[in-house]
Each structure stands twice: as structure tokens, then as C-alpha cells.
Amino acid sequence: QICLSLVKLLFYLAHSPLGSIVLLDFQPRQFVMVDGNLKVTDMDDASTEELSCKEDNDCTLDFPTKSFSLKCSVVGKCEGINEKKNLFNAYRYFFTYLLPHSAPPALQPLLSDILNATGDLQYGINETLKAFEKVLHLYKSGLYLQKRPLLLKDYIALKGFRTVEGEDYKCWPSYSHLGCLLSVHSAEEAAAICNSQAQCQSFIITQQRTWTGRPLASFQSSWTDLIPDTNAVVYIKRSASSGERL
């Protein structure tokens, strides 16, 4: 969410009515989240000036660990230097820390491609936004779950009940520090996650939603503490319920 919002912001800056705007003091502390969108808190160090040049050798974009050679345009300006400076700063201050851990395993190769392409400035802001929107579409639609074995059949659905909330085993990246609360596309994906965790014996799909509209599922190490809830369904591993009476 943070990276996508940042890319949308940089897309606007690259195509603003004033021209391509560069943030000269590009630091995480210069941004704040407002209603799920990233905003710039200080525009004092923003500029529309692009580096003047006479030849390509005048257009070197230097960072502490990398340098990039850009083209000198026919009007004597380094092509896209403001856009590329913003994008590489987004890569080194945000993407490298957030992207490797922010998606299901099936989508991580696509995020790795974005990370590598922006780190080498192979992508401009247009291509970067398009790549992010593709990942978001796959994430929201659940298309990344195709060609996976169906595991929900290994669970008993007990309608009208939910498990008692409380501290349970932890998992990464949980939305709750008290237990294992993860975003899922469906009960089928939740079953696959539960199967992959040795401690998990049951799960429920909660009424909570993430910023993409996906529900949160609570994974638990037992299912014996049940309370009535007409709107809930508890999914219990058949192997966990064998020998027990539901």
C-alpha cells in the first residue's frame, strides 16, 4: 500500500502541470500517510529545474552506491533526470525495505522484478505504475491462486460458531500481535495457509477487511473454545476433529 501510493505520487510529480518535479530532500521523514495515501509534508525542496547539458557525458545521475548515464536532449536538458532521481530514491528508501515482505509467495517474483528494474532504472515511472497495478489486480482478484490444490475439503465448516478470541501462536506478517491474523482472498486460501503452519488446527474468516477489500482470517492452534455467533463459520481440520464430537 505504501509503495503503490508512493508510485502514484511520483507519477503525478512526473506529469504535473508545472513540468517534472524532483524532490531534492527525498527522505522517509518527508512523507506521511493520510487516509491510506502517501502525502509529501514539505515541498520547500521541490524543483522543476532539469539539469542543462551539451552532451550525454554531462548527464550523470550520482547516488552513494550507483551512477547512471542519461541522454542529453535536443533542447539541452538531461532527459527524465527528475523522474529518475525520484524513482531511484523510492527504490532505495522504500522498495528495498517493504517489497520483499509484502505479498503472497506467488506474487513475490513480480515484486522482485519491480525491485530489480527500478534499482537499475530500467523502468520509468509509467512502467513502474503499470507493474504495480498488475500485481494489485492479481492480488485483489485472487488470480494468483490458480492451479493450486483444493484443500478446503480437508476441513469441517461449523456454522454459527466462532472461537474465543485470545492470545495464540504468532505468525508473520500478522495484523495482530496477539496471534496469527492474515489477509486472504478466500476460505480456500486460508485452508492452504493453515495447512502450511504446524500449529494451526482451525481458522475463521473475520468481518475485518484490508485496504484492498480482502478479509482477515484468524488462525488458531485449537478449536475447543467455541461461542455462538450467527454470522461466523469455524473451519476445523478433519485430522484435528477426529475422535472428537462436534
Side-chain angles (χ1 to χ4, degrees), residues 166-194:
E167 190 168 348
D168 207 321
Y169 76 92
K170 313 296 193 298
C171 68
W172 174 261
S174 177
Y175 282 79
S176 169
H177 67 280
L178 296 176
C180 186
L181 187 66
L182 300 175
S183 162
V184 297
H185 177 261
S186 62
E188 185 63 56
E189 183 179 18
I193 293 173
C194 189

Side-chain angles (χ1 to χ4, degrees), residues 153-211:
K153 65 182 185 303
D154 298 330
Y155 290 76
I156 296 170
L158 190 59
K159 297 181 180 180
F161 291 91
R162 62 179 172 84
T163 49
V164 177
E165 293 183 10
E167 190 168 348
D168 207 321
Y169 76 92
K170 313 296 193 298
C171 68
W172 174 261
S174 177
Y175 282 79
S176 169
H177 67 280
L178 296 176
C180 186
L181 187 66
L182 300 175
S183 162
V184 297
H185 177 261
S186 62
E188 185 63 56
E189 183 179 18
I193 293 173
C194 189
N195 270 28
S196 70
Q197 298 174 347
Q199 306 99 313
C200 185
Q201 298 298 316
S202 67
F203 66 87
I204 61 171
I205 308 296
T206 74
Q207 299 299 309
Q208 296 173 268
R209 300 274 171 170
T210 69
W211 66 282

Side-chain angles (χ1 to χ4, degrees), residues 94 115 139 141 145 149 152 167 169 183:
F94 287 89
L115 196 62
Y139 185 60
S141 65
L145 295 168
L152 196 58
E167 190 168 348
Y169 76 92
S183 162

Side-chain angles (χ1 to χ4, degrees), residues 45-109:
D45 293 310
S47 173
T48 57
E49 291 295 321
E50 291 194 307
L51 186 65
S52 298
C53 57
K54 293 183 178 179
E55 56 184 31
D56 291 350
N57 288 339
D58 297 329
C59 295
T60 301
L61 186 55
D62 290 315
F63 293 96
T65 58
K66 275 191 175 183
S67 294
F68 300 94
S69 298
L70 306 182
K71 296 290 186 182
C72 183
S73 71
V74 293
V75 295
K77 297 290 183 179
C78 295
E79 287 185 359
I81 192 167
N82 288 351
E83 172 187 330
K84 287 177 168 41
K85 185 178 290 187
N86 284 341
L87 190 55
F88 190 80
N89 278 326
Y91 159 80
R92 67 183 182 132
Y93 286 119
F94 287 89
F95 297 173
T96 54
Y97 298 105
L98 299 177
L99 287 187
H101 314 289
S102 57
L107 292 177
Q108 287 176 3

Side-chain angles (χ1 to χ4, degrees), residues 100-154:
H101 314 289
S102 57
L107 292 177
Q108 287 176 3
L110 296 178
L111 293 182
S112 293
D113 289 344
I114 294 174
L115 196 62
N116 293 333
T118 53
D120 292 333
L121 287 184
Q122 296 173 2
Y123 281 179
I125 192 62
N126 294 0
E127 295 85 355
T128 303
L129 179 58
K130 184 177 180 180
F132 266 101
E133 289 179 336
K134 176 183 177 181
V135 175
L136 180 63
H137 171 68
L138 294 173
Y139 185 60
K140 292 175 69 173
S141 65
L143 290 172
Y144 67 94
L145 295 168
Q146 290 181 346
K147 299 179 181 178
R148 293 181 60 172
L150 300 179
L151 301 172
L152 196 58
K153 65 182 185 303
D154 298 330

